[in-house]
Amino acid sequence: MSTAAPLTAPLMALSIGDWFNLFLYYLSLSLLAVGGAIATAPDMHRFLVERQAWLTDPQFNASIAIAQAAPGPNVLFIALLGWNVGINAGGPGVMGWLLGTLGMAVCMLGVMLPSSLLTWTATRWGHRNRERRGVRAFKQGMAPVVIGLLVATSWVLARAHGEWTTDWPLWLLTATATVLVWRTKLHLLWMLGAGALLGALGLV
């Protein structure tokens, strides 16, 4: 059983400048999401948890886990992060729901707008020039960058398990899942289901 950690952050006040800062942050982060939005999770953790303290570690990890387990695009975890920032600012009740919706809209608009415009433009250009050497070299060169970003994301999520001595079942489960993803074609839903069952039984 993992060490208990608070799932909610203390109620905090966010000014208009803070919301604008959050929007600008996701606006700037949008163009760095080369391997998908999940590849930028380490920097989101640095900004939201470590620097601004707008989210707790459990909230950050739960937002990603819930979004990854749910059907649909994985970028939805950013909406959950924004929602939790708003909930922490508004507290329980109507104000929390309103600010949660605001946080969700601010984060999603910020992260989607530049990348969508760039992707649309670059895809059309790349398709027209797909045989150029520079285009092929760019695609091959970006592969290790994407892999590195995904490994960094995995480490941020895994280290939330805490101490080896007390949370070794979680580390063991993480290592087992990693090997299964790497060496087998077992569908991810089976591993998600197994993790949920082990959690429900209190084994991890």
Side-chain angles (χ1 to χ4, degrees):
M1 182 73 68
S2 61
T3 305
L7 187 59
T8 58
L11 195 62
M12 59 191 182
L14 293 184
S15 65
I16 294 178
D18 289 329
W19 288 110
F20 188 63
N21 189 24
L22 181 63
F23 176 70
L24 287 181
Y25 169 72
Y26 274 104
L27 209 61
S28 64
L29 196 65
S30 176
L31 297 180
L32 299 178
V34 178
I38 193 66
T40 57
D43 196 74
M44 294 182 204
H45 182 273
R46 178 194 62 79
F47 182 77
L48 297 173
V49 178
E50 298 175 2
R51 179 177 167 184
Q52 301 290 359
W54 288 340
L55 292 177
T56 64
D57 255 327
Q59 281 181 320
F60 186 87
N61 288 291
S63 298
I64 294 180
I66 292 171
Q68 294 299 302
N74 65 8
V75 74
L76 292 180
F77 83 91
I78 295 178
L80 274 179
L81 293 175
W83 169 265
N84 282 320
V85 170
I87 290 293
N88 289 341
V94 176
M95 186 55 69
W97 282 77
L98 290 175
L99 291 184
T101 304
L102 174 63
M104 191 166 52
V106 165
C107 292
M108 288 302 290
L109 183 63
V111 80
M112 293 298 294
L113 189 61
S115 58
S116 298
L117 290 175
L118 178 63
T119 301
W120 183 74
T121 305
T123 300
R124 289 171 61 87
W125 184 88
H127 184 70
R128 288 196 304 268
N129 299 276
R130 57 186 178 280
E131 299 303 328
R132 288 189 177 186
R133 177 180 296 180
V135 174
R136 296 201 307 269
F138 177 79
K139 290 180 178 177
Q140 293 177 0
M142 290 306 296
V145 176
V146 172
I147 293 172
L149 290 171
L150 291 176
V151 170
T153 301
S154 302
W155 174 247
V156 167
L157 296 177
R159 71 178 182 180
H161 290 347
E163 298 294 331
W164 286 88
T165 53
T166 56
D167 295 329
W168 63 267
L170 284 170
W171 284 99
L172 179 61
L173 180 62
T174 300
T176 303
T178 301
V179 172
L180 288 175
V181 169
W182 178 31
R183 304 298 295 179
T184 73
K185 295 183 179 180
L186 188 64
H187 199 284
L188 293 178
L189 287 179
W190 286 108
M191 283 178 271
L192 288 172
L197 179 62
L198 292 173
L201 295 174
L203 298 177
V204 294

